[in-house]
Amino acid sequence: MNRFLIPLLFVVTLASCQNSKEEIYVALEKFDNSLDSLIVGKVYDKPKMLVFQDDTLRGNPKGINQTCYQIIGNDSIKVDANGHVYKFRADQLVLNASENFLGEKFVQKFIYFKDKIDNKLIDELRKIKSDTVYFGCLNKYDEMGNIVKKVTNSTWKEIQKDRTVAINENRRLEVYKYNSDNTKTTWRKEYFNKQYDVDSLKNTAVEKFTTSKSNVWNEDKQNYSYKRDKSGNWIVKKSNRKESPDVYYREIIY
């Protein structure tokens, strides 16, 4: 074989192994629908209540301005990384603005789709150079308003050894079943921190586990005390620990 053809054949073979964008989009749709057979009963596109951070928010709030302070001795120190601006629309979170512990500000926008996530649209939005992180979301609910299916897609920037930045994908699919003993069974498929590939999407394993339906919120009550507004939503949340407790304050916009 001509020695000049060997590098060329290698390049052609390597290129043929890479999936096109359209192939990836088809594989993503199959991934998102791969657990649908586990859902029993009729499903709905919109929630009947705003459930936020394992708590049902009452009074149809439009937004929350949250600040956090840490009490050290007689001093109260503001922790900007634990402060957030949240905005809601149609009983769903659509925006979260805050900053990280390095003082870098960021904005997260959540875009909800009815039947399937428009991955091409999300890709186009992410090409815009800004401090905004876009989440593609697809939720389904039962007749009681409980979420029975949740798909969330986001990206993660990872610094490589050669100091280049790789944009990896995070995608989580969860299907829920609510049991008569107040437990919730979850089936989860998670594609975490890597670039999309048709074969790996197809072969993503399913994790199954059962938890108390209100497990997280009950544990939270054990660790914090609360002051609530007239709608029943908490506006002050204070840690019960004796040393350097955190105190969260919320201004809720109705």
Side-chain angles (χ1 to χ4, degrees):
M1 181 180 290
N2 191 318
R3 60 191 176 92
F4 294 106
L5 292 178
I6 295 175
L8 180 60
L9 287 172
F10 175 75
V11 171
V12 171
T13 303
L14 182 63
S16 65
C17 294
Q18 295 176 346
N19 303 125
S20 69
K21 275 290 186 181
E22 292 305 318
E23 289 174 322
I24 292 294
Y25 293 151
V26 171
L28 289 174
E29 187 174 348
K30 290 181 179 179
F31 178 94
D32 293 348
N33 296 330
S34 60
L35 300 180
D36 283 3
S37 61
L38 298 170
I39 301 174
V40 179
K42 188 175 181 179
V43 296
Y44 301 83
D45 300 321
K46 295 181 179 180
K48 293 184 177 181
M49 65 196 85
L50 174 53
V51 178
F52 176 65
Q53 296 180 346
D54 298 294
D55 186 19
T56 301
L57 296 183
R58 300 165 180 83
N60 193 30
K62 302 296 187 294
I64 292 175
N65 297 329
Q66 181 172 297
T67 54
C68 176
Y69 292 83
Q70 189 172 46
I71 301 174
I72 301 177
N74 295 323
D75 295 325
S76 182
I77 300 173
K78 188 177 182 181
V79 184
D80 288 326
N82 287 341
H84 297 267
V85 175
Y86 300 110
K87 292 186 178 179
F88 308 101
R89 186 179 301 123
D91 288 332
Q92 292 174 318
L93 175 68
V94 295
L95 183 142
N96 171 24
S98 185
E99 63 180 61
N100 59 28
F101 284 97
L102 298 176
E104 300 168 334
K105 298 185 184 301
F106 66 85
V107 176
Q108 297 175 332
K109 288 188 177 180
F110 300 82
I111 302 175
Y112 295 85
F113 297 90
K114 181 179 179 181
D115 296 315
K116 63 179 181 178
I117 294 176
D118 189 337
N119 296 287
K120 185 176 182 179
L121 171 62
I122 297 296
D123 281 347
E124 291 297 322
L125 290 172
R126 288 173 179 163
K127 291 178 182 178
I128 301 172
K129 293 183 178 180
S130 69
D131 61 355
T132 301
V133 179
Y134 290 93
F135 288 73
C137 306
L138 176 66
N139 295 340
K140 296 293 182 180
Y141 304 86
D142 64 16
E143 60 182 358
M144 301 298 293
N146 298 310
I147 188 167
V148 294
K149 177 181 178 179
K150 183 176 184 178
V151 185
T152 307
N153 162 241
S154 61
T155 56
W156 177 262
K157 293 182 180 180
E158 184 179 32
I159 300 176
Q160 306 295 302
K161 291 182 179 179
D162 59 0
R163 296 188 177 182
T164 59
V165 178
I167 307 298
N168 290 329
E169 299 282 348
N170 297 336
R171 198 178 198 94
R172 176 182 286 183
L173 162 65
E174 291 184 335
V175 167
Y176 311 104
K177 177 188 176 185
Y178 298 90
N179 306 309
S180 58
D181 60 354
N182 201 37
T183 61
K184 179 174 71 174
T185 300
T186 301
W187 290 267
R188 175 186 292 168
K189 293 179 72 173
E190 190 165 31
Y191 196 91
F192 181 71
N193 204 22
K194 51 188 175 181
Q195 296 184 6
Y196 283 140
D197 172 78
V198 169
D199 288 336
S200 57
L201 279 167
K202 187 186 301 182
N203 297 321
T204 303
V206 181
E207 180 185 3
K208 179 183 177 182
F209 54 93
T210 300
T211 58
S212 171
K213 183 179 177 182
S214 55
N215 180 57
V216 175
W217 184 237
N218 284 338
E219 288 182 357
D220 206 40
K221 282 185 176 181
Q222 293 174 7
N223 295 315
Y224 290 88
S225 57
Y226 297 86
K227 179 181 178 181
R228 302 180 183 275
D229 65 10
K230 62 182 181 181
S231 295
N233 301 315
W234 71 259
I235 52 176
V236 181
K237 172 182 173 181
K238 184 178 180 180
S239 171
N240 293 331
R241 71 173 183 263
K242 295 181 179 179
E243 186 175 345
S244 303
D246 295 324
V247 184
Y248 294 84
Y249 298 90
R250 279 182 172 179
E251 176 194 2
I252 301 180
I253 298 95
Y254 292 97

